Amino acid sequence: MATQIVRVRDALHRFLFEHLDVRGELVHLDDSWKAVLERRAYAPVLRRVLGEAMAAAALLSATIKFQGLLTLQLQGQGPLRLLVVQCTHDGQLRGLARANGGAIEEQPLDRLCVDGTLTITIDSGAEQDRHQGIVSLEGGSLAAALERYFARSEQLPTRLYLSADQHTAAGLLLQQVPGLDADPDAWPRIEILGDTVTETELLTLEARQLIRRLFHQEDVRLFAARELCFQCSCSAQRTATLLRALGQEEVQAIVAEQGQISVTCEFCGKQYVFDPVDAAGLFAAVPPPGGSTTRH
Ligand SMILES: [Zn+2]
């Protein structure tokens, strides 16, 4: 009887090289990636970069310890203006890319996003718990930019391999961790093996198969998969906060002109409508905390 391979979709696997100070992660996004593609049509080259960024955000969310939200953002001149991917500590992903109009041909990332920057922000809610790292997009690929980010912010030698097509976004991360490793050849050896991975292998092989194919002479411990999903964090409350930031005058002007304010979430397409009463309510006096009146 043929062995049936049950593939875990939308999953992240961590793995360890036994007796070596090297760890790794593998991510596969299927349904969550399709959920992003269903909401907006992208040119193939943009789709690839966005898929790679989704896989990268998932890998980062498992590498960096945090509670809250990780945002990966590309910004620059050229055909690709802005790309934002977010991943929560519990694996909820969303993402979008914005391009300048017109046909976009296949080209390296530093030409697609000229003078571009990659910003990684870790936001744990409180203002003082916000950490941000910025690197340039030199090197022609998102993986190259992320490797520089890791070298600078985490000071850990890290290799990333990313790939995406219209069905799957996938990635492999290898990282040397501080330790007492007596084998100085371990990291260079694992790097050379990692460099042999093909896009097809990344996109199509199940975690165990891929690890066996790349590192069959190494002793690798693969941990249970962690699930990931598409989930948008937008809400009526957050939209209200956004409108308050716009200012009462501006909001009233829009209501006067259009009869209401309609805000569509760019990540998930959900629409939030504020009628004139809702809009006025945005700027109604807020009672002081505790609700007590001042006593003289
Ligand atoms: Zn949304």
Side-chain angles (χ1 to χ4, degrees):
M1 204 173 83
T3 318
Q4 196 189 353
I5 296 164
V6 181
R7 206 168 113 197
V8 182
R9 302 173 72 89
D10 297 280
L12 187 136
H13 284 274
R14 305 174 72 117
F15 59 92
L16 267 183
F17 291 86
E18 302 278 16
H19 323 297
L20 304 179
D21 294 322
V22 181
R23 67 179 176 189
E25 289 167 14
L26 259 172
V27 68
H28 243 268
L29 304 173
D30 298 282
D31 292 344
S32 57
W33 174 222
K34 285 189 193 118
V36 169
L37 294 182
E38 271 166 15
R39 283 162 173 85
R40 206 178 283 227
Y42 291 106
V45 61
L46 285 186
R47 186 183 64 201
R48 182 171 52 73
V49 177
L50 181 57
E52 289 184 3
M54 289 269 291
L59 291 170
L60 259 64
S61 79
T63 316
I64 304 166
K65 282 194 179 69
F66 74 103
Q67 286 281 316
L69 190 65
L70 181 145
T71 304
L72 186 159
Q73 185 170 321
L74 300 184
Q75 211 163 354
Q77 313 295 319
L80 173 62
R81 273 193 302 138
L82 178 74
L83 182 152
V84 181
V85 173
Q86 294 187 311
C87 187
T88 63
H89 65 269
D90 52 0
Q92 298 180 352
L93 282 157
R94 65 176 189 170
L96 65 85
R98 268 196 225 142
N100 287 320
I104 305 171
E105 58 196 44
E106 192 63 40
Q107 54 195 303
L109 186 59
D110 44 7
R111 293 231 318 265
L112 195 62
C113 194
V114 180
D115 296 329
T117 51
L118 162 69
T119 308
I120 308 284
T121 309
I122 314 273
D123 205 330
S124 309
E127 191 61 36
Q128 63 270 30
D129 280 340
R130 204 155 186 266
H131 300 279
Q132 201 166 63
I134 302 175
V135 288
S136 74
L137 287 182
E138 292 154 40
S141 75
L142 182 60
L146 283 161
E147 286 169 0
R148 275 206 312 285
Y149 167 80
F150 273 107
R152 194 184 298 174
S153 70
E154 309 270 304
Q155 276 144 32
L156 297 173
T158 307
R159 295 302 309 274
L160 272 114
Y161 307 90
L162 304 166
S163 189
D165 62 13
Q166 68 272 39
H167 306 293
T168 308
L172 165 68
L173 177 146
L174 298 169
Q175 189 168 62
Q176 188 180 31
V177 290
L180 304 165
D181 194 0
D183 182 357
D185 297 330
W187 175 246
R189 184 174 75 239
I190 300 299
E191 251 189 312
I192 288 167
L193 294 171
D195 282 345
T196 67
V197 73
T198 65
E199 298 218 347
T200 309
E201 285 171 337
L202 264 182
L203 292 172
T204 58
L205 292 185
E206 190 262 340
R208 196 168 293 280
Q209 284 180 311
L210 182 61
I211 286 171
R212 202 178 298 138
R213 183 165 303 184
L214 293 176
F215 310 112
H216 56 93
Q217 286 185 328
E218 307 291 333
D219 191 1
V220 178
R221 195 195 323 169
L222 180 68
F223 295 98
R226 191 187 123 194
E227 280 183 48
L228 298 148
C229 66
F230 175 85
Q231 183 75 54
C232 193
S233 55
C234 68
S235 68
Q237 204 184 343
R238 283 180 187 210
T239 311
T241 307
L242 212 95
L243 291 176
R244 276 192 205 102
L246 207 61
Q248 189 162 11
E249 216 170 293
E250 180 76 23
V251 167
Q252 276 173 346
I254 298 171
V255 173
E257 193 192 308
Q258 300 173 5
Q260 62 179 30
I261 286 195
S262 164
V263 181
T264 305
C265 173
E266 285 197 69
F267 286 98
C268 71
K270 193 167 174 183
Q271 202 178 31
Y272 296 94
V273 178
F274 293 74
D275 65 17
V277 177
D278 297 333
L282 290 171
F283 301 97
V286 181
S292 62
T293 47
T294 315
R295 231 179 289 155
H296 295 276

